[in-house]
Amino acid sequence: MKLVKRAQAPTPKFFKVLRNVGLVLAAVGGTILAAPIALPVLVTSVGGYLVVAGGVASAVSQLTTIGDNANK
């Protein structure tokens, strides 16, 4: 299955929820990184990890489809 068709295919309910959680994590991490005040290094590191983890979770969840046939 091509990437574009896979992204447009229906997504299972669990992975829709996981995608939304990933988007929220990425948004929180982005907010931490874009804070107008100086934050401790630990906090900005956690923000970076949240952005990466949220982005990966969202991307993988979006590309999971219903009725995928692995034998093709």
Side-chain angles (χ1 to χ4, degrees):
M1 182 181 287
K2 299 220 180 229
L3 189 61
V4 174
K5 284 186 179 182
R6 180 177 283 278
Q8 293 173 347
T11 304
K13 182 176 169 52
F14 172 75
F15 288 101
K16 286 181 184 178
V17 172
L18 188 61
R19 180 190 60 206
N20 292 338
V21 169
L23 289 173
V24 169
L25 284 176
V28 168
T31 303
I32 290 171
L33 292 177
I37 58 172
L39 296 172
V41 175
L42 179 65
V43 175
T44 54
S45 295
V46 169
Y49 289 127
L50 285 175
V51 169
V52 172
V56 169
S58 297
V60 170
S61 297
Q62 181 61 41
L63 295 178
T64 304
T65 60
I66 296 174
D68 219 9
N69 191 354
N71 295 328
K72 284 189 175 180

